[in-house]
Amino acid sequence: MSKEFHKQLKNGGLEAYNKLFTTHYSKLFNYAFKLSNDKDIAKDIVQETFIKLWLHRKNIKPELSISNYLFKICRNEFLIHARKKKKETAFLDQLKIEAAYEIFASTDQESSRIEALKRIINMLPPKCKEVFLLSKYENMKYKAIAEKMGISIKTVENHISKAYSELRKGMKCFLVSVFMYIQL
C-alpha cells in the first residue's frame, strides 16, 4: 500500500477503508475460522478487527505492513475471545459445583458425601488446598489470598482451577447424577 493510501486511511478516508476491507476480509475470516473453528465467532473476530483498525488508524505506521497489522489485531481479538470463553466456562463449572454441593448437603447421605468431599480436599497439594480453603471457607477474594500467601493472583486462579478439577474427578459419579437432576 502506498504512502498516499496510508494518509487517506489515517485521515478517515472511507474509500481506503473499504478497499482494505474488501481486500482482506476473506483472508482474515479464514484465519479467524482456523483459530476458532466457528464461523459466527470468526465473523465477530474479523468485525472487531476492522473496528479496532478504524479506531486506531491514526497509529498506523506507513513503513509497516497493514496486512500484518490486521492479522496481529485478528489474533489478539481471538485471544481475547478465548480468554473470555475460558472464564465463562470456569464460572459455569464453579456454579455447577456449588449447586451440586447445596443439593448434596440436603440429602440423606450427607455425612458420607461430606466425608468424601473432605478426603478429596485433603488430598490436594498443600498450597492448592490452602488457597481453596481460604477462598471457599473463609470467603477471601483472590487478591487477598495472593497477598496473604505472597503469590500472584494468576497462581491463586490456577490453584482454584486445579482444586475444582480434582473435586470434579473425585465426585464425578455424584456430580453426574446431580447435574442430571439439575437439568431436569
Side-chain angles (χ1 to χ4, degrees):
M1 306 271 165
S2 69
K3 286 188 178 193
E4 181 60 33
F5 179 83
H6 279 82
K7 185 178 178 182
Q8 288 175 4
L9 186 62
K10 277 187 170 187
N11 292 329
L14 291 179
E15 190 176 307
Y17 182 77
N18 287 335
K19 181 179 179 186
L20 203 58
F21 184 86
T22 55
T23 305
H24 290 87
Y25 181 87
S26 60
K27 290 184 260 183
L28 288 170
F29 173 81
N30 290 334
Y31 177 64
F33 180 69
K34 199 183 230 185
L35 292 172
S36 67
N37 205 25
D38 184 304
K39 288 183 180 182
D40 292 329
I41 292 170
K43 286 178 187 176
D44 290 345
I45 290 170
V46 174
Q47 181 179 5
E48 286 298 318
T49 299
F50 279 103
I51 289 170
K52 286 253 171 96
L53 174 76
W54 182 254
L55 293 174
H56 301 285
R57 68 187 181 277
K58 295 198 184 278
N59 300 332
I60 297 173
K61 296 182 172 98
E63 64 273 7
L64 299 177
S65 164
I66 290 182
S67 180
N68 289 346
Y69 187 61
L70 281 167
F71 277 94
K72 183 177 180 181
I73 295 171
C74 189
R75 181 182 58 87
N76 289 341
E77 286 303 312
F78 168 73
L79 292 173
I80 290 167
H81 170 78
R83 284 185 205 113
K84 183 179 176 185
K85 184 78 171 169
K86 185 177 178 183
K87 284 181 182 178
E88 288 171 358
T89 302
F91 178 70
L92 289 175
D93 286 347
Q94 183 175 349
L95 285 179
K96 286 179 183 178
I97 288 174
E98 288 172 2
Y101 179 77
E102 286 177 20
I103 290 171
F104 118 83
S106 65
T107 64
D108 295 336
Q109 301 165 351
E110 179 179 336
S111 63
S112 64
R113 290 186 175 141
I114 289 175
E115 288 307 313
L117 186 60
K118 286 180 180 177
R119 276 195 304 275
I120 295 166
I121 291 170
N122 284 329
M123 290 172 40
L124 292 172
K127 282 205 178 221
C128 183
K129 176 182 171 184
E130 183 179 359
V131 167
F132 184 76
L133 293 175
L134 289 172
S135 172
K136 300 303 163 204
Y137 292 102
E138 294 189 27
N139 294 321
M140 289 179 70
K141 302 281 184 204
Y142 288 7
K143 184 177 180 182
I145 296 169
E147 288 171 1
K148 179 177 182 164
M149 295 183 66
I151 57 178
S152 71
I153 293 174
K154 187 68 177 164
T155 302
V156 171
E157 291 171 356
N158 290 339
H159 282 308
I160 295 292
S161 179
K162 178 167 179 57
Y164 278 129
S165 176
E166 293 301 317
L167 285 169
R168 273 192 298 276
K169 287 178 198 170
M171 301 297 283
K172 187 174 185 174
C173 293
F174 168 72
L175 291 176
V176 168
S177 65
V178 171
F179 293 150
M180 290 174 71
Y181 173 77
I182 290 172
Q183 292 175 357
L184 295 176

